[in-house]
Amino acid sequence: VQLQASGGGLVQSGGSLRLSCAVSQSTPIDHYAVGWFRQAPGKEREAVSGIMVSDGRTYYKDSVKGRFTISRDRAKQTAFLQMDNLKPEDTAVYYCATGFLGGWMNYSPERHNEFYWGRGTLVTVSS
């Protein structure tokens, strides 16, 4: 399984960015979720948002609800994270991942190996 992430960059507070994550796998990943985690300097990695490829069920971290929107293109096995009204506290390296949706809901560092990970992409929000 390979994950190709794109997007990220520098934006002012209140601005928007869009991340994408394409999953390459020989067999369909319908029973998995795709989404993002983030890790700010000096902090642990945390779950941000995930979406079930099959039925579109979603998970959002409380602090991003109403600002971030996750979607997916099932045929292309690609997920998108539209991030609006970004805040300086959203600054972090964002990692796309695929795994069971429950992993987003109950993530801890001990569960790292339950996911396949893509390269991180830096999101910087200036105040």
Side-chain angles (χ1 to χ4, degrees):
V1 178
Q2 292 185 330
L3 291 86
Q4 183 68 42
S6 62
L10 172 64
V11 66
Q12 288 187 332
S13 181
S16 298
L17 287 172
R18 188 179 193 228
L19 306 181
S20 64
C21 178
V23 182
S24 298
Q25 183 171 303
S26 58
T27 55
I29 58 167
D30 269 8
H31 53 291
Y32 285 110
V34 182
W36 283 265
F37 294 74
R38 70 186 181 188
Q39 189 164 14
K43 295 187 177 181
E44 289 189 347
R45 191 169 298 190
E46 61 182 9
V48 177
S49 183
I51 185 168
M52 280 294 294
V53 174
S54 59
D55 61 13
R57 280 180 292 146
T58 58
Y59 164 82
Y60 290 99
K61 176 180 173 62
D62 284 346
S63 64
V64 308
K65 288 179 180 178
R67 300 189 297 120
F68 291 11
T69 303
I70 194 168
S71 60
R72 93 287 191 207
D73 183 326
R74 189 175 179 182
K76 296 181 179 179
Q77 297 191 144
T78 300
F80 307 94
L81 186 66
Q82 178 66 37
M83 304 185 292
D84 297 320
N85 191 21
L86 281 160
K87 303 177 180 181
E89 51 264 42
D90 295 317
T91 294
V93 176
Y94 283 68
Y95 297 90
C96 75
T98 185
F100 292 111
L101 187 62
W104 267 267
M105 301 173 183
N106 299 289
Y107 181 75
S108 67
E110 289 74 24
R111 304 189 69 166
H112 181 89
N113 291 335
E114 295 180 11
F115 295 86
Y116 291 97
W117 298 93
R119 288 185 176 182
T121 183
L122 179 61
V123 171
T124 303
V125 185
S126 63
S127 58

